[in-house]
Amino acid sequence: MAAARPSGSWSGALCRLLLLTLAILIFASDACKNVTLYVPSKLDAEKLIGRVNLKECFTAANLIHSSDPDFQILEDGSVYTTNTILLSSEKRSFTILLSNTENQEKKKIFVFLERQTKVLKKRQTKETVLRRAKRRWAPIPCSMLENSLGPFPLFLQQVQSDTAQNYTIYYSIRGPGVDQEPRNLFYVERDTGNLYCTRAVDREQYESFEIIAFATTPDGYTPELPLPLIIKVEDENDNYPIFTEETYTFTIFENCRVGTTVGQVCATDKDEPDTMHTRLKYSIIGQVPPSPTLFSMHPTTGVITTTSSQLDRELIDKYQLKIKVQDMDGQYFGLQTTSTCIINIGDVNDHLPTFTRTSYVASVEENTVDVEILRVTVEDKDLVNTANWRANYTILKGNENGNFKIVTDAKTNEGILCVVKPLNYEEKQQVILQIGVVNEAPFSREASSRSAMSTATVTVNVRDQDEGPECNPPIQTIRMNENAAVGTTSNGYKAYDPETRSSSGIRYKKLTDPTGWVTIDENTGSIRVFRSLDREAETIRNGIYNITVLASDQAGRTCTGTLGIILQDVNDNGPFIPKKTVIICKPTMSSAEIVAVDPDEPINGPPFDFSLESSTSDVQRIWRLNKINDTAARLSYQNDPAFGSYVVPVTVRDRLGMSSVTSLDVTLCDCITENDCTHRADPRISGGGVQLGKWAILAILLGIALLFCILFTLVCGASGISKQPKVIPDDLAQQNLIVSNTEAPGDDKVYSANGFTTQTAGASAQGVCGTMGSGVKNGGQETIEMVKGGHQTLESCRGAGHHHTLDSCRGGHTEVDNCRYTYSEWHSFTQPRLGEKVYLCNQDENHKHAQDYVLTYNYEGRGSVAGSVGCCSERQEEDGLEFLDNLEPKFRTLAEACMKR
């Protein structure tokens, strides 16, 4: 039995199924795994929103492209926004196309963008316990439509309590819409519990009402708890969507690419969110001019983009769009509103400035400068008074000598050609310039591939001018021997008539001649020697003597030039020694170096020959010369001459035999360096004694007087204190004058210094005893040591009797006198005087703090043998001056200087 053939419809369906399966397999082979990115509803421009693994899809991809111009994909898979994006819907998608240009292989990645939503999850942390609750009257779901037409009162629902079976129940309500604003909107029947609305309600003003229902008995008993009752106002599409601006204005540059974002419009709707009443759709319903259509609008985001790259500001610089927004997702019955959007086309430099002419002709007189000779104009279709329109002119050729410049007139945009360096008709009668022009802004590469510069030719004709003499070159030179005889003539400065190139008819005059050595011939300009020329004169620089010459023609026109006379050297100067004073420190030196110089040129100078020139035999016996090099020799002594000054004549000859004699003052000195040596008397005559000058003697006398004043002050002060009754200060435990004379093994004797003796306080046998102000004789010095701090007191020295020791306080065997005065007498005497002394010690004669009072000093090495000279110094020993015999060389020189005075 043969099988039945399938019908034609069945075979066609089978073929289509096979083709669909094949297409899906092919598509699956080219597509990679889909990627979903969760993003907020608003995305700012140039922000990273996620990353896609491109290598996992296609490792050999070398070209990455996005199907949506609002997104850009980098090589690492980073996805960035190129414009600000508002996601009106929950999802948005685009495709990433990966391709290999070598083998033409392509892959796709589908990217889905979903809005982030906050999901609040409640976690059950405790076990749910089922409990039986007391049954209560439950609220019945209740709602009403806004702007209801009635009839009013409009029944909403009935409130009923189960206790009405056993009691007589009265119902009542309170809350917004009842006894609060809006008042009297709702009421309930007392006996039946029927709830009514009295008038229409606007949802945009009141979205819902939460009122409280009460159930009570006639005697006031409340068998039920108050019942919260929510009445929701259902939304009606009664509000039109409204644009946020009446007129939108955007700017976009001409020649932009297709898909470039122009701007975004936005509208709001007061109806209930997330309903069809607020689901808006945008569209463009008109364009002025109407064609061609160059813009499109995204229906959900309101983003306006370009649909063509042929925007040309020079043709149309502004477009006006009429846009519409409609709710109910754009359905025909939805409410709609329109607005206006103005799009200004921004200018780019897509047009070159071009000269109105290709060639120009101008003329100028020679020797004129800073004059305008030509104005050139250009045409530019770009926006006037912008960088795309303003022209920059330049001279391309013909201005190698810098005679011209071209600038731009800021008002007219013309090019102004000026002469900034004078032209010379005799050198060039015509100059041909090539000028070019560009804009301030760079030329747009996308606009055209033409040359970015327009050029033109300018022919400048130079007109002749009757000129005066020309001093060219301005500096001319001649050569003359420095020993030229008076009256010698030579060629001088030459000026020319620029038209005839002749010097006839030109007069010459000397303007400057520093030393008046030459004169100048008025007709020929030749010079004549008036005084002897000297190349080695101070006014000569580099062997050239300069004079200034004024040349004039018959019309009185002049020019000025400089004539340089190069003086050729002759051997007219002998070499000499500039340093005529020589010091030889005999202990450390046996010779000195002398250097000779020759004012003449090197050809008439070194090598020099040095020799001793003297008629006496002492010079030859004591001194000796040895040549060091071509210009220097060494002068050394011999036969151990004595200290002192000597005159040594030295003859120096140059290579041609010209010589001169220089008398050197040579000093043999007992020194270490030359700076230590000064002129001194012969030690054999002065006997080596030191003579003090008047200032040194005065300083010594002042020092002695100052020393006597200090000693006199100390003696007077001590005598005055000894005549006054003495008391012991009350701060005995904090400040004591103690004996400090333990400088060697043995017993210390206590002496009364300045009349201060130990005393006892009170008449009792026990008293406070101590040595207050004891002086210690030691090596010719009397010292007073004051101990502060209170670590050692004399409390342990109390006892009966007349003599006590301070063993427990000082550690030494010190005998203490009896206490003879009371404490009050000692205190009244010492306190004011010690305070006055300390105060005076702290001030100078101007009643200011002394500079050396209580100062901090850093260690600076070995101390001075002169000791301290502070204001409180009480050094009384007689210091010797033996240290003056051991001074260093520098101080010894000072002592010898004082001796000569």
Side-chain angles (χ1 to χ4, degrees), residues 97-293:
L97 179 61
L98 305 177
S99 60
N100 189 325
T101 56
E102 296 179 358
N103 54 16
Q104 302 300 322
E105 186 179 358
K106 297 181 180 180
K107 292 292 184 68
K108 293 181 180 180
I109 300 178
F110 294 95
V111 180
F112 298 92
L113 303 181
E114 292 190 8
R115 291 171 54 182
Q116 292 178 345
T117 56
K118 296 183 179 179
V119 180
L120 301 179
K121 297 182 178 180
K122 294 183 179 180
R123 184 176 179 182
Q124 190 70 22
T125 57
K126 296 183 179 180
E127 295 182 357
T128 303
V129 180
L130 298 177
R131 294 182 180 178
R132 180 181 177 86
K134 179 181 179 182
R135 184 179 178 186
R136 53 177 308 212
W137 54 328
I140 303 173
C142 178
S143 64
M144 60 177 293
L145 185 66
E146 70 168 331
N147 303 322
S148 175
L149 298 178
F152 298 102
L154 179 66
F155 175 76
L156 297 179
Q157 69 172 352
Q158 183 182 20
V159 180
Q160 188 174 12
S161 174
D162 294 341
T163 58
Q165 299 176 1
N166 302 322
Y167 302 95
T168 300
I169 298 298
Y170 292 161
Y171 299 96
S172 63
I173 56 175
R174 294 179 183 176
V178 182
D179 55 353
Q180 300 177 18
E181 291 295 336
R183 296 177 182 272
N184 303 321
L185 180 61
F186 304 103
Y187 72 91
V188 64
E189 291 182 347
R190 187 187 67 172
D191 298 328
T192 63
N194 292 334
L195 181 63
Y196 293 92
C197 177
T198 61
R199 59 184 182 271
V201 180
D202 186 3
R203 191 207 66 85
E204 285 69 42
Q205 186 177 6
Y206 302 103
E207 294 184 0
S208 63
F209 296 91
E210 184 176 353
I211 59 179
I212 306 298
F214 299 92
T216 58
T217 59
D219 57 358
Y221 172 67
T222 304
E224 296 280 5
L225 294 175
L227 174 66
L229 181 60
I230 297 176
I231 302 175
K232 183 179 178 182
V233 180
E234 297 292 342
D235 183 46
E236 182 186 20
N237 190 20
D238 58 341
N239 289 277
Y240 286 82
I242 300 174
F243 283 102
T244 55
E245 296 182 19
E246 293 183 1
T247 302
Y248 292 89
T249 302
F250 303 112
T251 299
I252 187 171
F253 289 105
E254 60 180 331
N255 302 322
C256 62
R257 294 179 298 177
V258 175
T260 302
T261 299
V262 178
Q264 183 178 23
V265 299
C266 185
T268 59
D269 196 324
K270 293 182 180 180
D271 289 326
E272 186 176 359
D274 300 326
T275 64
M276 290 294 292
H277 299 163
T278 55
R279 184 170 295 180
L280 308 180
K281 181 166 288 188
Y282 303 89
S283 61
I284 299 175
I285 59 177
Q287 174 183 304
V288 178
S291 62
T293 302

Side-chain angles (χ1 to χ4, degrees), residues 408-699:
T408 304
D409 189 325
K411 295 181 179 179
T412 64
N413 209 31
E414 294 176 324
I416 305 174
L417 183 63
C418 304
V419 177
V420 294
K421 184 178 178 182
L423 296 165
N424 192 340
Y425 176 81
E426 287 71 30
E427 293 181 358
K428 186 176 288 188
Q429 292 78 35
Q430 189 182 74
V431 180
I432 299 177
L433 304 176
Q434 185 183 22
I435 59 176
V437 63
V438 294
N439 291 123
E440 290 184 0
F443 187 65
S444 176
R445 291 176 296 179
E446 293 82 1
S448 176
S449 60
R450 296 179 298 165
S451 173
M453 179 175 291
S454 174
T455 60
T457 302
V458 179
T459 302
V460 181
N461 296 317
V462 182
R463 299 193 300 269
D464 188 22
Q465 188 182 54
D466 189 10
E467 303 173 273
E470 181 178 315
C471 295
N472 188 24
I475 300 177
Q476 301 177 16
T477 60
I478 62 172
R479 291 181 178 272
M480 296 186 70
N481 292 332
E482 65 171 326
N483 60 350
V486 176
T488 303
T489 61
S490 177
N491 294 331
Y493 193 90
K494 291 296 181 181
Y496 302 92
D497 186 340
E499 280 81 15
T500 63
R501 306 305 297 174
S502 173
S503 299
S504 61
I506 297 178
R507 305 287 181 177
Y508 300 92
K509 180 182 178 180
K510 183 177 64 174
L511 292 181
T512 60
D513 184 2
T515 56
W517 283 348
V518 296
T519 60
I520 189 168
D521 187 271
E522 182 180 6
N523 296 319
T524 62
S526 60
I527 62 171
R528 180 175 177 271
V529 177
F530 183 70
R531 292 188 179 91
S532 297
L533 305 178
D534 187 5
R535 181 186 169 279
E536 289 74 34
E538 294 182 356
T539 56
I540 302 300
R541 294 292 181 268
N542 300 322
I544 301 176
Y545 182 66
N546 293 322
I547 62 173
T548 305
V549 179
L550 177 68
S552 61
D553 59 7
Q554 294 179 355
R557 292 169 295 203
T558 62
C559 68
T560 303
T562 300
L563 179 63
I565 303 175
I566 302 175
L567 298 177
Q568 296 178 341
D569 185 44
V570 296
N571 193 16
D572 58 346
N573 292 280
F576 66 95
I577 302 173
K579 184 179 180 182
K580 298 181 179 181
T581 301
V582 180
I583 297 176
I584 300 177
C585 292
K586 194 174 180 182
T588 60
M589 302 168 57
S590 62
S591 62
E593 182 179 335
I594 57 177
V595 179
V597 295
D598 193 335
D600 293 327
E601 287 289 333
I603 193 174
N604 298 321
F608 299 142
D609 181 42
F610 297 86
S611 62
L612 295 174
E613 183 70 24
S614 178
S615 59
T616 61
S617 60
D618 288 344
V619 175
Q620 300 290 341
R621 181 178 59 84
I622 298 176
W623 304 101
R624 181 174 70 253
L625 276 174
N626 295 323
K627 187 175 181 180
I628 299 176
N629 52 35
D630 291 347
T631 60
R634 189 177 304 281
L635 177 64
S636 58
Y637 62 85
Q638 58 188 359
N639 299 325
D640 192 17
F643 293 112
S645 299
Y646 300 87
V647 177
V648 181
V650 178
T651 301
V652 186
R653 290 180 176 82
D654 58 20
R655 66 168 62 191
L656 299 180
M658 181 66 71
S659 65
S660 66
V661 179
T662 303
S663 296
L664 302 179
D665 295 330
V666 183
T667 301
L668 285 179
C669 184
D670 183 12
C671 60
I672 297 176
T673 63
E674 294 182 10
N675 294 331
D676 297 336
C677 185
T678 58
H679 295 289
R680 63 181 71 184
D682 189 359
R684 294 172 294 184
I685 299 175
S686 61
V690 178
Q691 297 181 358
L692 298 178
K694 58 182 180 180
W695 295 107
I697 296 174
L698 180 59

